[in-house]
Amino acid sequence: MSRHRSRLTHRGTKPLDQHALDEPRTWTGHWWRTDLPDERVPGVLYWDPSEGLRLDLIGGWSTPPETTRVEGDTKVTTISSRSLPSWPVLHGLANGKAITLIEPDVTRQQTFRLSDFLGAPSATSVRATAALIGCHLTDADDPAFIAGSATVENLSAWAGRSGIEMAHTFDAPIGEVSGQIELRRLAALETTIPDFTVKLHTNAWQPYDQDSRAGRMARVKERNTVEFARGAGASVSDLLTALGSIGDLVSLASLRACGIITTHLYLPPTPERYPAGHPFGSMRPEVEVYTRRIVMPDPDADAVDHRGFVMTLADLPFEELLPRWMEIHERFSAARGMVLGLRYVSDGYIETRVVTAVAAAESFHRALEEEPPMPAEEFTKVRKLALAAVPKEHRQWLANKLMRNEPTLKQRLLELGSRPGQFMNKLLPNPEAWAKAAGAARNGVAHTGAPDDMTAEQMHAVSEVTAAVVVLNLLYELGIPEERLAEALENQDSLSFAATLAHRYFPASTA
């Protein structure tokens, strides 16, 4: 049996071809501007998970200093500091890889001698939004890619798909086999959405081993990945946005911030570069993507337990769930972003969290595009009568108050509080008290800096309960069955905690 030590990282636990975004990396080589391909500068590109991408160059490219001003008819030349340049992309060849840096901005240039001032700097530091490891792009918006894939934290647990089969023999005699592991190939799940074909792959690696002084450890590894493919070609932004939606989906499903672990883009195959029948001719060249996101992954942390999910693929089949999610992701983008933001940034001022949660609820209700409280013609008549009934000096004030024919915040909240189903009474024993408190908390923070007679604990309850209402409405729109939502409300930690707070601070009326 062959042993593949070269596939192990320094920790001996990950194949080299699967670098995660939580791992620092460096690439050493030469770099150039696309408009100056012959002026290549040596340097090192660093990826730091907490700081992002930084390119340190030994030298750089000359930038004309800002030296000229006009005084009357006289042109006066002075030496002033040069502005720090930026470019659409930079190219590099480092560690044997073609590299494209997207949106590189110079953050520091050093010149050690005055005589060098008008020439190239002695050292340059560059920050970039993203790095593509494996290709050269001259335009970041070029639809050069036919697919992109990502692994996301807790995706495998959420999908519930595994080809690893384990058998155990208890109390096996010494020397006898006490168990075995087999890898079984699973077919990808597939569906289509506007512009993309989406697949959920379950990938397993061949067993690999590691020797230690105590003995040998053999492992297998399996990951679920999501792939978005478009035959007509897609840009980096198109694919990163689509892949990011899967991170949002798993974050919503687990009510935890789930980061993207790896991102890869794929170029069209290049059979013309290889002899006929060569296996590389049909392969898609792979490009690694490094870019900072709000959530930094921790791939080695424990996965979410199945009770921690508010929905999984067991609740809706992949071919139904993905198209619905992509529609909801776009339609309720503001509400979705705000309510997930409360998960992505778990610490923060309670005032900010209250305003965010209530704004998410209001935004969600607006996106439903429900009928206005009264017909448009009737609203216009009522508005005219009201304006005519007040003194002239007060009409502008009243006109500003009667600008829109729409429900009040309290009416919006109450509708969201009952919309997913009868089970919502377990979350909101007193919807009126919650809606009143949520409106008072939001308005108090927005207009006076703090709500009157409301403690920090009450504001925390408003934030958590309102966020739970928005989450359950998102899941309802997604098509999750009512009984499953009721089960999640009872068993999932965040939702059940929100229900506890609601019963404590907004209890059922005893009148």
Side-chain angles (χ1 to χ4, degrees):
M1 179 179 67
S2 62
R3 295 160 60 187
H4 303 284
R5 294 183 186 277
S6 62
R7 290 174 56 81
L8 300 180
T9 67
H10 62 284
R11 286 188 287 180
T13 58
K14 294 181 180 179
L16 277 174
D17 58 352
Q18 292 294 320
H19 291 286
L21 292 177
D22 68 318
E23 299 174 338
R25 291 192 68 186
T26 60
W27 297 266
T28 303
H30 289 80
W31 310 84
W32 61 93
R33 288 163 43 177
T34 56
D35 59 331
L36 299 171
D38 296 328
E39 295 187 20
R40 303 195 174 195
V41 180
V44 182
L45 175 64
Y46 298 90
W47 164 255
D48 184 292
S50 60
E51 296 183 2
L53 293 157
R54 186 185 84 246
L55 173 62
D56 287 344
L57 298 172
I58 304 173
W61 301 279
S62 60
T63 304
E66 299 169 354
T67 59
T68 303
R69 72 179 188 275
V70 176
E71 295 182 356
D73 296 330
T74 305
K75 181 181 290 186
V76 179
T77 300
T78 61
I79 294 178
S80 61
S81 62
R82 56 165 62 92
S83 60
L84 296 177
S86 61
W87 308 279
V89 297
L90 280 179
H91 286 174
L93 185 60
N95 294 15
K97 295 278 191 178
I99 298 177
T100 299
L101 298 183
I102 296 177
E103 295 181 351
D105 293 310
V106 173
T107 58
R108 182 170 60 95
Q109 285 184 325
Q110 289 180 290
T111 300
F112 299 113
R113 296 183 302 175
L114 183 61
S115 60
D116 292 337
F117 187 84
L118 298 178
S122 303
T124 303
S125 287
V126 178
R127 291 283 184 180
T129 301
L132 308 181
I133 313 299
C135 75
H136 283 152
L137 284 187
T138 56
D139 184 349
D141 295 325
D142 184 6
F145 302 96
I146 58 172
S149 68
T151 56
V152 179
E153 289 182 304
N154 295 306
L155 177 62
S156 293
W158 171 80
R161 286 167 52 84
S162 178
I164 298 176
E165 295 183 351
M166 294 183 288
H168 303 274
T169 302
F170 296 99
D171 299 325
I174 295 177
E176 296 292 329
V177 175
S178 60
Q180 63 182 14
I181 298 176
E182 293 184 2
L183 293 180
R184 180 169 52 92
R185 182 176 180 179
L186 298 181
L189 301 179
E190 182 175 339
T191 188
T192 57
I193 61 173
D195 297 329
F196 287 108
T197 296
V198 190
K199 295 181 180 181
L200 178 65
H201 298 281
T202 303
N203 301 317
W205 285 264
Q206 293 180 352
Y208 56 100
D209 66 288
Q210 178 184 13
D211 285 336
S212 69
R213 296 181 182 183
R216 178 178 297 168
M217 174 74 74
R219 296 178 173 88
V220 296
K221 192 159 202 162
E222 180 184 70
R223 281 183 181 171
N224 281 265
T225 64
V226 170
E227 175 185 306
F228 286 78
R230 181 192 291 174
S235 68
V236 176
S237 177
D238 292 337
L239 289 166
L240 293 187
T241 299
L243 294 170
S245 70
I246 303 303
D248 290 341
L249 173 61
V250 183
S251 295
L252 176 66
S254 62
L255 294 185
R256 289 169 172 80
C258 296
I260 292 181
I261 300 170
T262 63
T263 303
H264 294 87
L265 306 182
Y266 300 93
L267 295 162
T270 54
E272 67 278 3
R273 297 178 57 185
Y274 303 95
H278 195 287
F280 284 2
S282 60
M283 292 179 63
R284 306 175 302 180
E286 185 177 78
V287 177
E288 288 184 276
V289 181
Y290 284 80
T291 186
R292 285 192 67 191
R293 293 182 177 270
I294 296 174
V295 181
M296 188 54 58
D298 185 5
D300 296 325
D302 291 340
V304 173
D305 182 80
H306 72 278
R307 289 170 60 92
F309 290 102
V310 295
M311 65 91 176
T312 67
L313 275 188
D315 300 309
L316 272 183
F318 184 77
E319 59 271 18
E320 293 182 24
L321 186 144
L322 251 295
R324 290 185 186 180
W325 170 246
M326 298 306 290
E327 179 185 347
I328 287 171
H329 191 266
E330 178 64 24
R331 181 182 177 191
F332 299 99
S333 59
R336 177 259 307 162
M338 285 186 279
V339 79
L340 289 180
L342 295 173
R343 304 295 172 186
Y344 292 158
V345 184
S346 57
D347 297 326
Y349 290 107
I350 186 60
E351 292 85 357
T352 303
R353 296 182 66 82
V354 164
V355 171
T356 301
V358 178
E362 186 173 20
S363 175
F364 183 94
H365 192 273
R366 285 185 187 279
L368 291 174
E369 298 181 349
E370 303 252 326
E371 291 292 328
M374 65 179 72
E377 292 182 1
E378 183 178 348
F379 174 76
T380 300
K381 292 179 181 179
V382 170
R383 188 171 185 271
K384 287 182 177 180
L385 289 173
L387 293 176
V390 299
K392 184 176 180 180
E393 62 270 22
H394 299 315
R395 285 177 187 170
Q396 186 59 52
W397 175 85
L398 183 60
N400 292 336
K401 293 292 184 180
L402 298 176
M403 286 290 293
R404 296 175 180 171
N405 178 20
E406 60 181 25
T408 65
L409 174 61
K410 182 179 179 181
Q411 289 171 329
R412 294 183 189 278
L413 293 175
L414 288 174
E415 184 172 348
L416 294 182
S418 61
R419 195 164 170 273
Q422 185 63 34
F423 73 94
M424 289 292 284
N425 57 19
K426 296 181 180 179
L427 172 63
L428 300 171
N430 191 336
E432 286 277 343
W434 158 70
K436 181 180 179 180
R442 195 281 300 272
N443 293 335
V445 172
H447 301 309
T448 64
D452 296 333
D453 301 325
M454 187 171 288
T455 65
E457 289 77 13
Q458 290 171 316
M459 292 178 66
H460 175 65
V462 166
S463 171
E464 292 298 310
V465 174
T466 306
V469 169
V470 177
V471 165
L472 289 168
N473 273 273
L474 280 168
L475 295 172
Y476 174 75
E477 284 295 313
L478 195 55
I480 304 302
E482 183 175 334
E483 59 271 17
R484 178 67 177 97
L485 296 181
E487 178 188 340
L489 180 59
E490 183 175 347
N491 295 327
Q492 206 279 336
D493 290 345
S494 297
L495 294 182
S496 63
F497 177 62
T500 299
L501 291 176
H503 283 261
R504 181 183 305 163
Y505 292 100
F506 319 119
S509 174
T510 57

